[in-house]
């Protein structure tokens, strides 16, 4: 496959970065509309809670698969060439979701929408090619922050649009915005040349990696009930290990591997992935626990908050998450990624442990959620920037897409960790878990996050800060 390209200019302007940011915000909105309207979708599509749970994670699973594929294709064929075609898939998914009359069609739309996760590593490819290192870090932070900001906006407007217009429009409006933003990217972003001219796609590696991600998600979903079916759980874990071994074998022998294992062996890369996993697991645990704690009846130890109240309490944290991306890019440029990450991890782990023992007032949890969102966003964005600048240009998409994949896996693992402890601590005949379960998970999340400090110094090995 040949890709037409022009010689890249020295740099791009703010308008081009703004177009990428607009696209990130629009995809963030589309990604977020299902979660707050899930009860409405369950009613209108006549689906059960279990089927609703499947609908809520369909995009998450397919996004984890799409991200490395999109990043790899972007490295091979150019970021702009791939992102415009990828958005065609996303737009198709948004339109299918908008008109879906039943669950199978809605699931198809969500699977297609999962391609949007691949837009992030493709955007990182483009800003790194056309901006100097310091400015590219800030631009990556801006794009990441606008994606989170779009998610916050989608969470806020999905319900009013669905109830005031219809569920169809909550998918259609952000989809039309994605079309406009894609046209701006196509118009303002120069054609970037492929970084790996003539390289063939590693199909065996792609199939095995997809199998690994799907099986891993299945393993995480089984964790809360693993004790009830240990043989099945053990068999799935063994199958996962076999897939990993097969993937490593294939990638080591492929002339054009999907993921260069030598790249993963770089200290700056593997340490970035370890830190990303620990930080996101801790963050996800708190994201799961805080709404649950708000909902616990006031006569027990909670606050008896309604869904509307919970949304209002979580809003400051969503705002903090939105500004954390640009802030991280600026701080990393000024103080270095390692210093920023170490500080963020310190704040995050201290906040998580603090929330374990101080959660008797609503404002305790609101402030804790703000600090968690801010520290986590700063750390993860700094990891994306560090990863992008620690590899050759031809590996930018692949390396950064794996950060996003690890983020998805860690979020799933953190939620399952919280769910398993709360389920185990709920007495028979009751739906209120023991308060000690919240304390335990908050402490575990804080300790896991703090342990990632052990590898922060490794970030600077082999690369310039």
């Amino acid at each position: 496959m040949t890709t037409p390209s022009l010689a890249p200019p020295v740099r791009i302007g703010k308008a081009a970065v703004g177009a990428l940011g607009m696209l990130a915000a629009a995809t963030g909105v589309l990604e977020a509309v299902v979660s707050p309207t899930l009860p409405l979708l369950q009613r209108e599509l006549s689906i059960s809670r279990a089927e609703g749970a499947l609908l809520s994670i369909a995009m998450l699973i397919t996004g984890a698969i799409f991200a490395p594929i999109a990043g790899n294709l972007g490295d091979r064929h150019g970021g702009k060439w791939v992102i415009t075609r990828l958005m065609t898939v996303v737009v198709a998914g948004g339109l299918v979701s908008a008109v879906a009359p039943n669950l199978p069609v809605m699931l198809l739309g969500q699977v297609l929408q999962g391609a949007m996760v691949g837009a992030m590593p493709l955007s990182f490819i483009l800003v790194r090619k056309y901006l100097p290192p310091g400015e590219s870090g800030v631009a990556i932070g801006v794009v990441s922050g606008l994606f989170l900001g779009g998610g916050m906006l989608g969470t806020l407007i999905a319900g009013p649009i669905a109830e005031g217009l219809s569920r169809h429009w909550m998918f259609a409006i952000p989809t039309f915005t994605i079309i406009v933003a894609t046209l701006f990217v196509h118009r303002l972003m120069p054609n970037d040349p492929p970084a790996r001219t003539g390289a063939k796609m590693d199909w065996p590696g792609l199939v095995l990696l997809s199998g690994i991600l799907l099986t891993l998600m299945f393993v995480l979903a089984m964790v809360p009930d693993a004790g009830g079916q240990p043989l099945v759980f053990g068999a799935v874990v063994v199958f996962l290990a076999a897939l990993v071994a097969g993937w490593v074998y294939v990638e080591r022998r492929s002339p054009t591997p999907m993921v260069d294992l030598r790249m993963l062996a770089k200290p700056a890369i593997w340490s970035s992935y370890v830190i990303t996993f620990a930080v996101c697991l801790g963050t996800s645990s708190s994201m799961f626990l805080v709404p649950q704690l708000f909902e616990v009846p006031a006569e027990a130890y909670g606050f008896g908050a309604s869904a509307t109240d919970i949304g209002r309490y979580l809003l400051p944290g969503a705002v903090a998450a939105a500004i954390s991306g640009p802030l991280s890019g600026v701080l990393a440029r000024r103080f270095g990624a390692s210093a920023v990450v170490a500080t963020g991890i310190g704040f995050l782990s201290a906040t998580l442990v603090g929330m374990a023992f101080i959660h008797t007032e609503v404002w305790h949890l609101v402030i804790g959620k703000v600090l968690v969102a801010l520290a986590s966003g700063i750390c993860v964005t700094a990891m994306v920037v560090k990863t992008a600048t620690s590899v050759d240009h031809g590996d930018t998409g692949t390396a950064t897409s794996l950060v996003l994949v690890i983020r998805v896996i860690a979020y799933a693992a953190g939620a399952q960790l919280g769910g398993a402890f709360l389920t185990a601590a709920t007495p028979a005949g009751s739906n209120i878990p023991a308060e000690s379960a919240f304390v335990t998970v908050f402490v575990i999340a804080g300790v896991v996050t703090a342990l990632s400090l052990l590898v922060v110094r490794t970030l600077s090995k082999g690369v310039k800060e």
Side-chain angles (χ1 to χ4, degrees):
M1 182 184 299
T2 59
T3 305
S5 61
L6 301 174
V10 175
R11 58 188 295 141
I12 54 176
K14 293 181 179 179
V17 176
L20 291 173
M22 178 182 177
L23 182 60
T27 54
V29 172
L30 185 59
E31 182 193 50
V33 297
V34 168
S35 180
T37 59
L38 194 56
L40 181 147
L41 291 173
Q42 289 172 182
R43 290 194 305 270
E44 295 201 1
L45 296 174
S46 300
I47 61 178
S48 66
R49 283 189 171 86
E51 291 171 327
L54 176 62
L55 181 62
S56 69
I57 64 172
M59 188 190 304
L60 187 71
I61 295 173
T62 56
I65 296 172
F66 265 113
I69 297 173
N72 192 270
L73 289 174
D75 288 334
R76 294 170 186 271
H77 304 294
K80 177 184 173 181
W81 189 87
V82 177
I83 199 171
T84 52
R85 286 153 179 79
L86 193 70
M87 287 303 104
T88 302
V89 178
V90 175
V91 167
L95 295 177
V96 169
S97 297
V99 302
N102 51 44
L103 179 62
V105 178
M106 181 65 77
L107 284 173
L108 173 61
Q110 292 299 293
V111 167
L112 294 174
Q113 283 179 217
M116 71 174 65
V117 180
M120 299 297 283
L122 295 171
S123 297
F124 302 154
I125 290 173
L126 290 169
V127 298
R128 193 181 176 206
K129 281 184 178 179
Y130 294 108
L131 290 175
E135 293 183 27
S136 66
V138 176
I140 288 173
V142 168
V143 173
S144 300
L146 287 172
F147 179 77
L148 294 173
M152 176 186 68
L153 179 62
T155 301
L156 294 176
I157 68 174
I161 291 177
E163 293 173 352
L165 297 174
S166 73
R167 65 176 172 85
H168 308 288
W169 284 104
M170 74 179 188
F171 293 106
I173 291 174
T175 299
F176 294 147
T177 308
I178 289 174
I179 293 173
V180 174
T182 303
L183 292 174
F184 275 118
V185 171
H186 180 73
R187 175 69 179 84
L188 297 172
M189 187 63 64
N191 294 319
D192 56 314
R196 304 183 190 176
T197 305
K200 296 181 179 179
M201 176 60 74
D202 174 25
W203 291 110
L206 169 60
V207 171
L208 286 170
L209 181 60
S210 300
I212 288 170
L213 294 173
L214 287 172
T215 307
L216 180 57
M217 288 295 182
F218 185 59
V219 167
L220 293 175
M222 292 180 65
V223 167
D225 300 320
Q229 41 188 354
L231 294 179
V232 175
F233 182 75
V236 176
V237 171
V238 170
F239 179 66
L240 174 62
L243 286 175
V244 172
W247 179 71
V248 171
Y249 178 86
V250 167
E251 295 300 270
R252 290 183 63 181
R253 285 156 179 78
S254 173
T256 56
M258 184 174 183
V259 178
D260 189 343
L261 298 182
R262 293 171 299 179
M263 176 191 73
L264 298 183
K266 291 182 178 180
I269 300 302
W270 67 257
S271 59
S272 293
Y273 295 161
V274 169
I275 292 170
T276 298
F277 181 84
V279 167
C280 290
L281 185 143
T283 303
S284 174
S285 299
S286 70
M287 289 173 62
F288 176 82
L289 292 179
V290 170
Q292 306 288 332
L293 195 49
F294 278 137
E295 195 178 31
V296 171
E299 57 268 22
Y301 53 85
F303 307 96
S306 66
T308 301
D309 291 332
I310 293 173
R312 188 170 67 251
Y313 297 153
L314 296 180
L315 180 59
V319 174
I323 67 173
S324 65
L327 180 61
S328 177
V330 172
L331 292 176
R333 182 181 182 184
R334 182 175 179 84
F335 300 108
S338 296
V340 171
V341 171
T343 304
I345 290 173
F347 272 106
L348 178 57
S349 56
T351 301
L352 290 169
V353 174
M355 291 170 73
F357 303 103
I358 307 175
H359 54 254
T360 55
E361 301 289 342
V362 168
W363 67 268
H364 293 163
L365 295 175
V366 171
I367 291 178
K369 187 68 173 64
V370 167
L371 294 177
V372 166
L374 191 62
S376 173
I378 286 175
C379 288
V380 174
T381 303
M383 288 299 89
V384 172
V385 174
K386 188 68 176 178
T387 302
T389 55
S390 298
V391 297
D392 296 334
H393 281 275
D395 291 320
T396 301
T398 301
T400 55
S401 68
L402 290 177
V403 175
L404 301 179
V405 170
I406 290 170
R407 182 180 179 184
V408 168
I409 293 171
Y411 273 118
Q416 291 299 326
L417 173 69
F421 271 85
L422 294 191
T423 300
T426 302
S430 172
N431 59 358
I432 302 176
E435 186 177 6
S436 59
F438 288 93
V439 174
T440 300
V441 178
F442 273 127
V443 170
I444 291 174
V447 171
V448 170
T449 303
L451 288 174
S452 64
L453 284 170
L454 298 175
V455 299
V456 168
R457 293 186 64 182
T458 312
L459 286 172
S460 301
K461 291 185 179 181
V463 296
K464 293 182 179 179
E465 184 68 71

